[in-house]
């Protein structure tokens, strides 16, 4: 490779990295791309989360369920040229502006796309049980809101376990009170829709997220899931907000 070729290669590779970063990053500080939306690639190999989340579950969850939300969201927005220029976050925080005939489709599929994008970005290869903990400002914020990391985990697992039907359990930032909270949302709703909470981390409590491996044992899934949480990503989201 000549020097010129190498320089050109690096430039193109750099552009690719920028594009991917823009398409896959979900932080509240960074506007998401507008429609047509695309399925973000996983930031790790499809089997990277094993044994906590198995390869087959990931293939179906990312490739079929998440892709379905993206397809259905794009289909709904085709009928709404004005909404099509809004970022996903803007769509979810102004659902009342969407005509009633389209609102449920945008809410369910826009929420589905946002929630799953955030979910994949929040995970990493498993660490040993109980070895995966937040540190720095995030650890301090968790201690001050819940007393300890262990208490927070129990509250989060308990809320996720009690969630009736399908939905999500969240660690969210309350900007008015400057405090972390545990919250749940039904279906594909997101704390952003409440207008008062910013999601930092969410666990998917739909059966499609865990049923192949854990069947009816949602509590076991919620407990095992802590091993794959990427606390560095969560800390970055909190830092961007506070
Ligand atoms: Mn899901």
């Amino acid at each position: 490779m000549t020097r010129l070729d190498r320089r050109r290669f690096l430039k193109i590779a750099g552009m690719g990295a920028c594009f991917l970063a823009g398409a896959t990053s979900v932080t509240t500080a960074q506007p998401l791309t507008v429609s047509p939306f695309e399925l973000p690639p996983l930031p790790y190999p499809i089997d990277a989360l094993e044994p906590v989340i198995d390869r087959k579950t990931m293939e179906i969850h990312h490739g079929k369920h998440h892709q379905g939300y993206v397809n259905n969201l794009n289909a709904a927005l085709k009928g709404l040229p004005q909404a099509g220029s809004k970022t996903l976050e803007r769509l979810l925080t102004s659902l009342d502006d969407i005509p009633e005939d389209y609102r449920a489709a945008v809410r369910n599929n826009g929420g589905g796309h946002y929630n799953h994008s955030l979910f994949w970005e929040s995970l990493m290869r498993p660490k040993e049980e109980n070895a995966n903990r937040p540190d720095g400002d995030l650890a301090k914020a968790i201690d001050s809101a819940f007393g300890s990391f262990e208490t927070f985990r129990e509250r989060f697992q308990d809320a996720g376990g009690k969630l009736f039907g399908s939905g999500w359990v969240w660690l969210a930032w309350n900007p008015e009170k400057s405090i972390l909270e545990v919250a749940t949302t039904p279906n594909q709703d997101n704390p952003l829709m409440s207008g008062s909470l910013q999601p930092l981390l969410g666990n998917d409590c739909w059966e499609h997220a865990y049923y192949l491996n854990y069947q009816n044992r949602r509590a076991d899934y919620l407990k095992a899931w802590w091993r794959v949480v990427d606390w560095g990503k969560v800390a970055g989201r909190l830092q961007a907000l506070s």
Side-chain angles (χ1 to χ4, degrees):
M1 198 184 273
T2 67
R3 270 180 66 184
L4 188 64
D5 283 342
R6 183 171 155 72
R7 209 182 305 158
R8 193 176 298 153
F9 170 77
L10 287 174
K11 194 175 169 198
I12 292 165
M15 283 164 61
C18 285
F19 171 74
L20 282 178
T24 59
S25 288
V26 181
T27 68
T28 43
Q30 213 171 4
L32 291 157
T33 51
V34 296
S35 87
F37 293 97
E38 286 178 29
L39 181 69
L42 292 172
Y44 34 70
I46 194 103
D47 58 357
L49 308 180
E50 290 207 356
V52 176
I53 304 178
D54 62 284
R55 182 195 180 103
K56 191 77 188 162
T57 296
M58 290 295 287
E59 284 172 357
I60 299 169
H61 198 180
H62 178 258
K64 306 291 182 194
H65 288 279
H66 190 171
Q67 182 73 66
Y69 298 124
V70 170
N71 295 347
N72 292 336
L73 175 62
N74 287 333
L77 291 175
K78 267 190 186 165
L80 295 166
Q82 284 173 320
S85 62
K86 287 186 179 179
T87 63
L88 182 52
E89 197 168 291
R90 187 91 188 88
L91 283 169
L92 298 183
T93 52
S94 57
L95 286 167
D96 288 348
D97 297 346
I98 307 275
E100 210 176 335
D101 286 356
Y102 293 86
R103 199 176 300 146
V106 173
R107 179 179 199 135
N108 292 336
N109 296 292
H113 178 35
Y114 186 98
N115 295 349
H116 287 84
S117 300
L118 189 82
F119 185 68
W120 310 128
E121 280 285 316
S122 302
L123 305 180
M124 61 174 192
R125 288 182 187 278
K127 287 198 176 177
E128 285 309 305
E129 207 175 340
N130 295 319
N132 194 19
R133 307 174 68 92
D135 56 16
D137 289 344
L138 176 59
K140 283 182 203 155
I142 287 174
D143 286 348
S144 93
F146 306 104
S148 70
F149 178 57
E150 283 67 28
T151 308
F152 155 68
R153 284 202 316 193
E154 277 170 31
R155 287 263 305 272
F156 189 99
Q157 283 170 215
D158 191 50
K162 283 180 179 158
L163 189 61
F164 186 76
S166 298
W168 289 74
V169 57
W170 303 94
L171 173 66
W173 176 247
N174 183 326
E176 256 178 46
K177 296 181 182 168
S178 286
I179 196 161
L180 293 171
E181 295 183 10
V182 167
T184 57
T185 53
N187 307 311
Q188 293 296 349
D189 281 4
N190 180 287
L192 283 173
M193 295 172 185
S194 73
S196 58
L197 290 177
Q198 296 280 346
L200 299 178
L201 173 70
N203 196 0
D204 190 338
C205 295
W206 285 54
E207 285 185 345
H208 70 225
Y210 62 86
Y211 210 84
L212 289 182
N213 204 11
Y214 298 87
Q215 289 85 46
N216 61 324
R217 302 186 308 277
R218 187 195 286 181
D220 290 353
Y221 159 70
L222 286 165
K223 193 166 169 234
W225 181 77
W226 297 115
R227 291 179 59 195
V228 292
V229 173
D230 186 342
W231 288 109
K233 296 273 177 56
V234 184
R237 286 181 201 127
L238 178 62
Q239 197 178 17
L241 290 170
S242 52

